[in-house]
Amino acid sequence: MAVRVFHRVRGLREALAPARAMGRPIGLVPTMGALHRGHGSLISCSAEDQRPERGLTVVSIFVNPIQFDDRSDLDAYPQTPDSDLRLCGEAGADFVFAPSAREMYPDGFSTFVDAEGECLTKMCGAARPGHFRGVLTVVSKLFHIAQPTRAYFGEKDAQQLFAIKKMARDLDMDIQVIGRPTVREADGLALSSRNSRLSARERAAARCLVRALGEGRAIIEGNQEASADSAKKSMAAAIEAEALARLDYAEILDADTFGDVTRDTRKALLAVAAYFGETRLIDNMSADVCFREGSDGSR
Ligand code: PAF
């Protein structure tokens, strides 16, 4: 069946009402468009999850202006509406919600959702002031509009996923927030809508991100005596060695708390961000951490 497209909040709500009244689940996949196989995997996962109870999958496509701290980044954000619709249909979406900025933020809009705490003020929170406030505001609006049973996000945006899960928990949103693994190109580069903005040379250079993460992970997993600091330095050096890359951050945190790695950490998250020309890319990997018997826990 063809995907139905809605541009207005009211239209989507009316279309979802019968399924909701019958107790059927709704899966929501929030996106900013320029969809790729990574989004496709989120959409097909939602379609699979809702199928047994004859539920629906909604994909939202909205380039959210309030999560961009840089106007030129917003203006350059890729938009591919025709192929987006095709991909949504092929991956099993039922509805696409593609509102205008005015529909989402009408005149007089002045209510925002924000989160406090170090876990969101470092990494992307530090590099992009106001970014998570914009993300949490639009995602909570989408949650209220679609009232999904489950919502799907990529693990590539690990800090975003952490922030959204925390928001859902903190604000008692009765929504299952599901993270799905990063989809990669054959050479390991994480799929991102921003990859289309890279020149051929920048695209080749961008492989340093996954290389850096792999080196950091090998240090963490292969040598339990190694400190997070030495792995961090190795990741930064691998990125700085690439002439076309400009390092933004190379970090290692506790994957569960997003705080520092401590002796209680069992899974670490290695995260990097760098600019290639004007394009900023992020990536991450997790690593199992296991202290040796008698270790003092200093990492
Ligand atoms: O990850 C994205 O594409 C966006 O940050 C999201 C979650 C759709 C909110 O605009």
Side-chain angles (χ1 to χ4, degrees):
M1 215 170 66
V3 181
R4 289 175 66 192
V5 181
F6 300 89
H7 299 289
R8 308 300 296 260
V9 171
R10 192 166 159 189
L12 179 69
R13 280 207 171 125
E14 284 173 2
L16 288 171
R20 183 168 297 110
M22 285 185 275
R24 295 185 181 163
I26 293 165
L28 173 68
V29 184
T31 81
M32 298 206 298
L35 304 184
H36 50 66
R37 283 184 290 119
H39 297 109
S41 86
L42 299 179
I43 299 167
S44 45
C45 176
S46 171
E48 283 282 301
D49 285 353
Q50 314 330 310
R51 188 166 297 132
E53 295 168 86
R54 301 177 60 218
L56 296 171
T57 289
V58 181
V59 179
S60 65
I61 299 181
F62 177 60
V63 185
N64 176 34
I66 67 165
Q67 71 184 73
F68 287 80
D69 55 307
D70 174 357
R71 177 77 217 199
S72 58
D73 188 29
L74 170 63
D75 291 342
Y77 200 83
Q79 299 202 32
T80 54
D82 296 337
S83 65
D84 287 355
L85 267 193
R86 235 184 351 262
L87 185 144
C88 286
E90 285 165 7
D94 300 287
F95 296 166
V96 164
F97 177 53
S100 64
R102 207 179 169 73
E103 179 72 3
M104 292 297 273
Y105 304 116
D107 285 349
F109 180 92
S110 67
T111 304
F112 297 85
V113 179
D114 207 352
E116 293 181 349
E118 212 221 330
C119 54
L120 293 182
T121 51
K122 58 188 165 197
M123 299 191 335
C124 293
R128 304 180 68 189
H131 172 66
F132 287 119
R133 180 185 197 245
V135 168
L136 294 179
T137 300
V138 80
V139 170
S140 69
K141 276 179 72 80
L142 292 167
F143 282 2
H144 283 109
I145 293 166
Q147 295 175 42
T149 318
R150 306 179 181 99
Y152 299 80
F153 299 87
E155 288 176 353
K156 181 176 73 67
D157 296 284
Q159 201 176 10
Q160 167 174 285
L161 178 60
F162 180 85
I164 292 168
K165 281 186 170 168
K166 189 165 187 321
M167 173 183 76
R169 218 174 32 243
D170 286 352
L171 299 184
D172 303 303
M173 294 171 161
D174 190 15
I175 295 166
Q176 203 185 334
V177 177
I178 297 170
R180 297 284 304 161
T182 301
V183 178
R184 296 180 181 278
E185 301 281 11
D187 65 359
L189 181 72
L191 294 193
S192 162
S193 303
R194 293 174 193 272
N195 291 353
S196 65
R197 285 163 50 181
L198 299 171
S199 69
R201 288 179 61 229
E202 288 164 353
R203 166 66 187 78
R207 279 189 302 218
C208 71
L209 295 179
V210 69
R211 205 166 46 236
L213 290 167
E215 285 174 23
R217 179 155 74 180
I219 291 174
I220 292 272
E221 289 189 341
N223 176 0
Q224 293 150 11
E225 299 283 287
S227 69
D229 264 357
S230 63
K232 243 193 267 189
K233 280 188 191 130
S234 151
M235 294 197 302
I239 295 172
E240 279 164 342
E242 174 51 66
L244 292 189
R246 185 158 51 87
L247 178 69
D248 181 352
Y249 63 73
E251 273 297 341
I252 300 185
L253 350 139
D254 184 301
D256 295 321
T257 64
F258 265 58
D260 289 343
V261 174
T262 69
R263 62 173 305 120
D264 296 326
T265 298
R266 288 293 165 264
K267 203 168 256 314
L269 186 84
L270 290 72
V272 292
Y275 287 88
F276 300 86
E278 296 300 307
T279 308
R280 182 175 175 276
L281 299 181
I282 59 174
D283 199 357
N284 68 79
M285 254 181 213
S286 60
D288 291 321
V289 177
C290 174
F291 286 110
R292 203 176 264 168
E293 204 59 33
S295 152
D296 68 357
S298 55
R299 302 187 71 81

